[in-house]
Amino acid sequence: MDSQTSQTPQVPQQPHTFQVDLRGLVDLLSHHLYSSPKVYLRELLQNAVDAITARRAEQPDAPARVRLYAEEGALRVEDSGVGLTEADVHSLLATIGRSSKRAEGLQEARSDFLGQFGIGLLACFVVAERIRVVSRSARTPDAPPVEWTASDDGSYRVRTLPPDARPEPGTTVYLVARAGAGEWLAPARVLQLARDFGSLLPYDVRVGEEAVTDLPAPWDRPYPSPANRRVALARHCHDLFGFTPLDSIELNVPLAGVRGVAYVLPSAVSLAQRATHRVHLKGMLLTERAEQLLPDWAFFVRCVLDTDSLRPTASRESLYEDETLAAVRDALGERIRSWLTGLAAGDPERLADFLSVHHLGVKSLARHDREMLRTMLPWLPFETTDGRLSLEEFAQRHPVVHFTRTVEEYRQVAPIASAQGVGVVNGGYTYDSDLVEALPSVRPGTVVTELDADTVTAHMDLVDPVEELALSGFLAAARARLDPLGCDVVLRAFRPLSVPALHLDDRDTRHEQARADAEEQADDLWAGILGSLRGSAPRARLVLNHLNPLVRRIGSLGDPELIGTATESLYGQALLMAQRPLRPADSALLNRAFIGLLEWATNGEEGR
């Protein structure tokens, strides 16, 4: 039985053809591939422009016209393109996924076409329930005109027409709106969409008598002077993006097939906000939301450009991330970098205006580009103990450039360091510490060091040993009160005299405090794990100013309890001066010290 079964000849199975539900496919296009029904008009313009391009490849003197005629609920689009024969209609219009660009004789001219995907007229079903196409071939002049009529249920009919039905080569597309989509075929909407998509197309495109194309592009037009050009481009930017730019940057990169302009935003934007740009592909608007066109650091510009080298995605509403896009991104970034270098060399006032708004973008670039850091060194602003200065000017004033990595650390030490003659740069803002550390690479001989608590303390004057010995009881009481908080107490003499105490720590100290706090609140298992991570980081320090009158008066007190309360008050005040976030233990200490001082004051009043 088994042997007979194994010897039974296998009957070859017949292949099956996919069945396409056109209505389901249209729903997929309208809800998932395309962002808006408006793309139907782009598809119509694209087909018309490609047809003209194909005809002109063989007949350079052929007319190049596209005409759109809209009335409520219907649209007619005529072009003087290459046209179709009956065989072309069956092969191209009725086969989903096949592009006319694959037709014989057009492969070598493919780079001149806007479309790369065979969706074509299918997109029109997003707004139309019926499509009718009448076409006559320019390649086969003797072929009669042909009519193709399709409905959104997936059916279509093809028939030939008498020669006088369309005397000249070309194609006419008729749309009838589906229910609820009539607004997309209204005359005003058609004109607006046609101008939006087709303003840079190379052929004569009109909606009725209204011109659609507006050539040459604003960045390619001749102007009487550079000032006139800036004014014209600023007007173009306002019309397009809704803002008046600080400046405009030429984006002429012939090797990348790119022409356009970048407009500098007049106000600062969030680093997290994705910059979006307007991209035309061979004159046809591809997208208004291109995100990967420029390097991340160039978030301070908005671009509009035309290209023939970038590859669109299937929806033709964004750019495909490939090596070509990466090369274009680098080339455009270089153009913006050159603009910045030119401002630094020849127009410092405009550069200062720009940096006052967009210094973060330039700092981001300078982090990775040493030449840009060297160029911008005299201009980039930093917060320092000498005021708002460039690193170049600050380094000229101070043989050693100290910096902090956080804003909190800077606020801790800035007043004291300044009074002691120690120059400090606030490296707590975005990119600043990286740039300060890179300073020696572009300014040889510059000494850069991170400021720590030991450095600050070392610049303070020691107290006379005899005076410090006389205050040993006071210091012992103060240290005993702050020891549970992981803070030591030291006595120094420093300016300004108005500061009674300074709280000093560093990142290692804060990490150790955070670990200790977590260990105290954890269960036995986690407490053991956290305890094994205990480090040897230095403890925080409360530096009391021996020159301050209040500290001197507290040091003369004889009551250890009152000394402890006063020390807690100085500790809390030092934390608040540094604008440091308070731990729960710190908040409890402040409350306790405040209540303690009130009780002491009221008890003293009652005793008098």
Side-chain angles (χ1 to χ4, degrees):
M1 184 72 174
D2 291 341
S3 61
Q4 291 178 350
T5 302
S6 63
Q7 296 176 4
T8 302
Q10 298 295 318
V11 178
Q13 297 188 1
Q14 296 297 320
H16 299 280
T17 302
F18 281 105
Q19 301 299 310
V20 176
D21 179 353
L22 187 58
R23 284 179 174 163
L25 188 56
V26 169
D27 181 73
L28 178 68
L29 291 174
S30 59
H31 290 95
H32 300 284
L33 183 62
Y34 294 133
S35 62
S36 166
K38 68 181 182 181
V39 297
Y40 87 92
L41 194 67
R42 184 194 62 202
E43 295 293 341
L44 288 173
L45 287 176
Q46 177 178 291
N47 288 340
V49 170
D50 284 346
I52 294 172
T53 301
R55 183 176 180 184
R56 284 203 155 187
E58 301 176 5
Q59 304 173 20
D61 297 331
R65 296 186 306 271
V66 181
R67 297 290 184 267
L68 295 88
Y69 302 96
E71 55 188 48
E72 297 300 331
L75 175 66
R76 181 171 93 254
V77 181
E78 299 178 353
D79 69 67
S80 58
V82 70
L84 302 170
T85 64
E86 183 176 359
D88 293 334
V89 166
H90 284 288
S91 175
L92 302 176
L93 296 186
T95 304
I96 295 173
R98 178 172 295 175
S99 173
S100 62
K101 278 57 116 183
R102 297 193 185 100
E104 183 180 354
L106 298 186
Q107 188 66 33
E108 68 278 4
R110 184 174 180 132
S111 64
D112 294 329
F113 294 104
L114 300 174
Q116 298 183 40
F117 301 89
I119 297 173
L121 286 176
L122 189 62
C124 295
F125 280 121
V126 172
V127 298
E129 66 178 6
R130 187 168 70 256
I131 302 174
R132 176 172 170 250
V133 177
V134 176
S135 187
R136 184 163 190 165
S137 175
R139 288 187 181 144
T140 313
D142 296 336
V146 60
E147 177 190 68
W148 177 83
T149 306
S151 300
D152 61 0
D153 61 2
S155 63
Y156 72 92
R157 292 180 295 115
V158 179
R159 63 177 180 141
T160 57
L161 300 176
D164 58 356
R166 184 173 179 95
E168 298 295 328
T171 301
T172 303
V173 179
Y174 303 84
L175 301 186
V176 176
R178 65 169 57 249
E183 61 172 306
W184 294 104
L185 275 62
R189 178 62 67 90
V190 169
L191 177 60
Q192 179 256 319
L193 291 178
R195 285 177 170 167
D196 204 30
F197 284 119
S199 62
L200 300 184
L201 289 174
Y203 305 133
D204 178 17
V205 182
R206 296 177 182 271
V207 176
E209 299 300 321
E210 298 283 347
V212 168
T213 52
D214 185 21
L215 295 176
W219 51 85
D220 285 331
R221 295 172 188 169
Y223 295 97
S225 68
N228 290 105
R229 179 180 179 81
R230 279 198 298 272
V231 170
L233 290 179
R235 187 182 304 113
H236 175 249
C237 175
H238 189 274
D239 293 342
L240 204 60
F241 293 118
F243 65 85
T244 301
L246 284 177
D247 205 352
S248 55
I249 306 170
E250 193 84 18
L251 297 180
N252 183 12
V253 189
L255 291 178
V258 170
R259 286 284 299 165
V261 62
Y263 293 116
V264 181
L265 292 165
S267 57
V269 293
S270 167
L271 295 178
Q273 181 179 336
R274 277 284 186 184
T276 56
H277 310 287
R278 188 179 176 94
V279 179
H280 295 256
L281 181 61
K282 303 180 183 72
M284 181 75 75
L285 178 65
L286 179 71
T287 177
E288 299 172 283
R289 299 185 300 275
E291 292 186 349
Q292 305 297 334
L293 190 64
L294 295 179
D296 290 340
W297 55 261
F299 56 83
F300 50 83
V301 299
R302 293 292 180 271
C303 293
V304 54
L305 55 84
D306 188 26
T307 176
D308 59 14
S309 63
L310 298 179
R311 177 183 171 192
T313 58
S315 66
R316 289 194 285 278
E317 294 188 288
S318 59
L319 297 170
Y320 190 84
E321 183 67 47
D322 57 11
E323 293 181 357
T324 302
L325 179 56
V328 168
R329 183 162 49 237
D330 290 343
L332 296 181
E334 184 58 39
R335 289 292 305 121
I336 297 173
R337 183 185 289 106
S338 299
W339 171 78
L340 284 170
T341 304
L343 285 187
D347 201 339
E349 290 186 3
R350 284 172 65 200
L351 178 62
D353 291 341
F354 167 76
L355 289 178
S356 68
V357 179
H358 296 299
H359 57 274
L360 276 182
V362 180
K363 286 182 176 180
S364 174
L365 170 60
R367 278 192 314 156
H368 307 291
D369 189 325
R370 290 293 177 263
E371 189 58 38
M372 181 56 63
L373 177 58
R374 183 179 291 107
T375 301
M376 291 292 139
L377 205 56
W379 308 103
L380 288 174
F382 289 78
E383 183 179 359
T384 78
T385 49
D386 291 356
R388 197 161 181 81
L389 300 175
S390 70
L391 287 181
E392 175 66 29
E393 186 175 357
F394 187 81
Q396 290 174 359
R397 297 184 181 187
H398 298 277
V400 177
V401 177
H402 294 93
F403 73 98
T404 63
R405 291 194 182 275
T406 68
V407 175
E408 290 78 10
E409 291 173 353
Y410 179 79
R411 288 170 178 166
Q412 262 186 321
V413 302
I416 310 304
S418 179
Q420 310 306 313
V422 179
V424 184
V425 178
N426 184 357
Y429 295 115
T430 307
Y431 310 131
D432 283 9
S433 61
D434 292 339
L435 294 176
V436 176
E437 288 183 296
L439 189 56
S441 68
V442 297
R443 197 178 189 276
T446 304
V447 179
V448 173
T449 181
E450 184 176 354
L451 187 69
D452 55 23
D454 289 334
T455 303
V456 177
T457 306
H459 280 81
M460 297 177 178
D461 294 333
L462 295 173
V463 178
D464 183 271
V466 175
E467 293 187 54
E468 187 165 4
L469 182 61
L471 295 170
S472 58
F474 158 69
L475 293 174
R479 287 165 181 156
R481 185 58 66 94
L482 295 188
D483 184 68
L485 295 173
C487 183
D488 291 333
V489 177
V490 296
L491 188 66
R492 293 287 188 274
F494 59 86
R495 297 184 184 278
L497 275 65
S498 58
V499 177
L502 177 67
H503 181 270
L504 293 177
D505 63 4
D506 52 30
R507 281 174 297 158
D508 291 337
T509 303
R510 290 194 292 276
H511 291 165
E512 176 60 21
Q513 287 177 341
R515 185 210 60 77
D517 291 342
E519 179 182 358
E520 185 177 339
Q521 299 174 14
D523 56 28
D524 292 342
L525 174 61
W526 281 107
I529 295 173
L530 291 169
S532 67
L533 300 176
R534 185 179 294 113
S536 57
R539 288 155 60 93
R541 271 167 279 183
L542 182 68
V543 185
L544 300 178
N545 187 0
H546 186 55
L547 300 179
N548 180 266
L550 176 62
V551 173
R552 285 179 175 272
R553 287 197 296 272
I554 294 173
S556 66
L557 296 174
D559 183 354
E561 185 64 27
L562 183 55
I563 289 174
T565 300
T567 302
E568 288 179 337
S569 299
L570 291 174
Y571 173 85
Q573 189 259 356
L575 288 180
L576 294 175
M577 279 187 60
Q579 302 182 41
R580 288 281 306 281
L582 299 179
R583 299 174 298 165
D586 298 329
S587 299
L589 175 144
L590 280 171
N591 290 331
R592 184 171 64 247
F594 179 71
I595 297 299
L597 290 176
L598 283 179
E599 290 178 347
W600 176 82
T602 54
N603 288 337
E605 183 68 26
E606 290 173 358
R608 284 194 286 272

